[in-house]
Amino acid sequence: MTTYEVAHRRSIEQPEAFWAEEAKRIFWHKPPEQILDYSNPPFRQWFVGGETNLCYNAIDRHLPERANQLALVAVSTETNQTQELTYADLYREVNAFAAALKRLDVQRGDRVVIYMPNMAEAAFAMLACARIGAIHSVVFGGFAAHNLAVRIDDAQPKLLICADAGSRGGKVIAYKPLVDEACAKAQTPPPHVLIVSRGLDPAEPKVPGRDVDYAQLRAEVGDAEVPVEWLESNEPSYLLYTSGTTGKPKGVQRDVGGYAVALAQSMETVFDCKPGQVMFSTSDVGWAVGHSYNVYGPLIGGCTSILYEGLPTNPDAGIWWALCEQYGVRTMFSSPTAIRVLKKHDVDFIRRHDLSMLKYLFLAGEPLDEPTAKWIFEALRKPIIDNYWQTETGWPALSVLPGLDMKPVRFGSPGFPNLGYKMKIIDEQSGVEVPANTKGVLVIEPPLPPGCMTTIWHDDARFINSYFGHFKELLYSSLDWAIKDDDGYTFILGRTDDVINVAGHRLGTREIEESVSSYNAVAEAAVIGVSDELKGQVPVVFATLRQNTDEPAARSAAADGMRKTVEQSLGAVARPARVYIVNALPKTRSGKLLRRSLQALAQGADPGDLSTLDDPNALEEVKRALQRGPDVG
Ligand code: ATP
Ligand code: MG
């Protein structure tokens, strides 16, 4: 048996002994009295009675050894500023921020909404909350006032912290007017708004009595030190709303001790990044990856974390690789969407950099199609490691675990269950485990491992119904389709609500998308099922090309090529009824395809909740294409 197999078996068969050992990776002010309490399923408590603190583990603990090592490097190609902070610098700034929070009467257990782009102060704010036991809820800076208001009403914060503005591709987006609008819309607006200004939007008027300027408060608190608040392991550390790809976002609640232990362990076993080494995640702090692998994970692991604000193509498509070279990045983490953006540019933007320190590129967040994986592999010549997780899990559930003994990468598969994850694939109807090479629903057998969500904020019933109410047996449903091959590699086949039924054949839209994308001219494809009188449903493709064109003949040639490709690889049933070529596809702010809205539009229905839509133009593109008619079909 491999090291992985031994460790995984132990984590499943003797979870308490296994996690008791893992718990030693972090500092406990008071050691746990009980490793696991599973007396009230599906709720579980890890490290009961233990007292610890995320901020202490991320910063204070490292000071004796790493005070002068870089902890956080915040690079912005929007403001053209780079902030390099050592662990000592981070200690100072986070303490000052914590002192500012105290001045604004933020107490242990209070919620704090953070609405900021990828700037160093966003990390200071999160860590400062963790230090004093306040519960942060970071709302992605790109969200509109409505999204923010909904999250404010759910979290009922004592304080909202925002930047004066964000910037995207050089275009300044003032945040204050959005915050004002959200506060006006919200039922329970926060009594104070703390504004961290970068001088991007100096004109913004302050609301007297409510708005506070951080620079002023920072000057007043000076180099104050704020003692760490020791929290019981299961107290909430933060709330984070899911991307909302499938509907109303859920307020995922995380604990303290279990999360810290899971991150410490995954930094080593999954990401193979040791103290003193450098990790660069291109995520936004507003997403789960940003929480776990831009802020808490690398810092708890004593690593250097790179935080990047800006487009991956500005000043040119080599910027991320230039940073890898400059800071000696070992572990890089990004998303398939981002790589598809780079794929539109010359590989030389990557190849011209010295990437000898770079060991891996991890990708997560959505299916990694083979053409994209192969393209980036050819460009980098480093392992491309697909890993599967959800906001709910907080850290990867499936990967090839390069930090243990790396299993060979198999394109299309994120790999194997991580330590502590007892997963199986079951039949949707019967709930019985399916044999190898058979599609089913991916489930986790509870108790969920440390690091995974503890509940939905203020809504235990929704937690149970959303995740545990699908089968007779008490199982956590991932709501994703999966299949396991003979060697135990798991493949994700899309979401359980992304299945179409063509003349009695159930087809995953993901499989058709994969096939469409393998056609060379295609940059990205979305496949949906559209009602059809004869067949029930038929597959319809929306695709972007690597080289945009308005030339109808070129468009229909490409569309025809896609159709033939699908027919050849998946058979006539999967043959797309219609193909529409567009210049952009509608996605959520986190880069996931909004198939739900596409499908509604294609059927002439209301596209539904568009609050998480990233680019309104993409939706207009689709409407225009529908009006114009398909490029083939
Ligand atoms: P909501 O739950 O609100 O609808 P969401 O599911 O898009 O939103 P996230 O938690 O950000 O919110 O995304 C998790 C989902 O992303 C997974 O359930 C899966 O569908 C997809 N996903 C993540 N990583 C991978 C991967 N490596 N391969 C395939 N799919 C992935
Ligand atoms: Mg989800």
Side-chain angles (χ1 to χ4, degrees), residues 180-454:
D180 290 345
E181 194 187 330
C183 287
K185 276 189 178 171
Q187 306 289 314
T188 54
H192 289 294
V193 172
L194 180 62
I195 303 153
V196 182
S197 178
R198 293 188 290 179
L200 290 175
D201 185 34
E204 208 41 56
K206 299 224 166 15
V207 176
R210 187 197 71 178
D211 293 354
V212 181
D213 178 46
Y214 182 65
Q216 209 172 328
L217 206 49
R218 173 76 186 81
E220 284 172 32
V221 296
D223 283 345
E225 285 184 299
V226 176
V228 160
E229 193 80 35
W230 299 108
L231 303 175
E232 198 278 333
S233 179
N234 295 280
E235 284 184 55
S237 56
Y238 68 76
L239 312 178
L240 176 60
Y241 293 85
T242 59
S243 306
T245 309
T246 53
K248 187 175 167 250
K250 307 171 210 75
V252 165
Q253 181 177 321
R254 202 89 64 204
D255 65 6
V256 181
Y259 183 57
V261 171
L263 291 183
Q265 190 222 57
S266 64
M267 281 302 293
E268 192 180 315
T269 59
V270 180
F271 296 100
D272 189 23
C273 200
K274 296 191 182 56
Q277 296 179 330
V278 185
M279 181 159 188
F280 177 13
S281 158
T282 67
S283 173
D284 192 278
V285 284
W287 309 130
V289 179
H291 282 63
S292 295
Y293 298 106
N294 283 90
V295 180
Y296 292 115
L299 296 176
I300 287 173
C303 303
T304 300
S305 174
I306 314 250
L307 185 68
Y308 177 78
E309 180 191 36
L311 301 178
T313 49
N314 180 34
D316 64 47
I319 175 67
W320 285 352
W321 318 100
L323 291 171
C324 284
E325 179 176 346
Q326 184 181 350
Y327 290 100
V329 172
R330 172 184 176 85
T331 300
M332 177 146 179
F333 193 168
S334 191
S335 66
T337 320
I339 303 305
R340 284 193 285 265
V341 170
L342 298 181
K343 198 172 153 204
K344 289 190 162 203
H345 299 262
D346 197 332
V347 285
D348 189 52
F349 282 116
I350 299 176
R351 290 208 179 125
R352 72 172 64 140
H353 295 286
D354 173 6
L355 299 177
S356 49
M357 295 289 278
L358 186 69
K359 192 111 194 259
Y360 313 99
L361 173 63
F362 286 79
L363 297 173
E366 31 155 359
L368 174 60
D369 59 285
E370 203 164 319
T372 302
K374 286 202 163 133
W375 180 84
I376 189 68
F377 176 70
E378 285 303 322
L380 285 175
R381 291 268 149 205
K382 313 271 177 184
I384 307 302
I385 303 184
D386 186 1
N387 61 114
Y388 165 86
W389 49 309
Q390 308 183 306
T391 306
E392 290 87 342
T393 66
W395 58 293
L398 294 169
S399 82
V400 288
L401 292 126
L404 284 177
D405 37 14
M406 183 163 146
K407 300 267 187 181
V409 167
R410 198 163 282 185
F411 280 129
S413 168
F416 299 84
N418 281 343
L419 305 184
Y421 284 90
K422 189 174 185 190
M423 302 174 94
K424 58 181 181 181
I425 300 173
I426 62 169
D427 182 84
E428 190 191 15
Q429 305 298 330
S430 67
V432 175
E433 188 164 3
V434 296
N437 303 307
T438 311
K439 178 172 167 175
V441 181
L442 182 67
V443 297
I444 307 175
E445 286 185 48
L448 295 176
C452 292
M453 73 191 295
T454 52

Side-chain angles (χ1 to χ4, degrees), residues 109-180:
D110 286 341
R111 273 81 58 213
V112 174
V113 166
I114 299 175
Y115 184 62
M116 296 168 98
N118 268 9
M119 53 200 270
E121 288 81 355
F124 303 165
M126 291 164 76
L127 290 158
C129 286
R131 188 169 193 85
I132 65 169
I135 303 167
H136 62 67
S137 182
V138 183
V139 176
F140 173 59
F143 274 138
H146 165 76
N147 307 81
L148 183 56
V150 169
R151 286 158 177 78
I152 288 174
D153 280 337
D154 198 66
Q156 310 210 335
K158 186 87 165 274
L159 175 70
L160 187 150
I161 307 170
C162 70
D164 58 338
S167 176
R168 198 175 148 99
K171 192 171 158 263
V172 170
I173 302 136
Y175 280 11
K176 247 309 283 306
L178 299 174
V179 168
D180 290 345

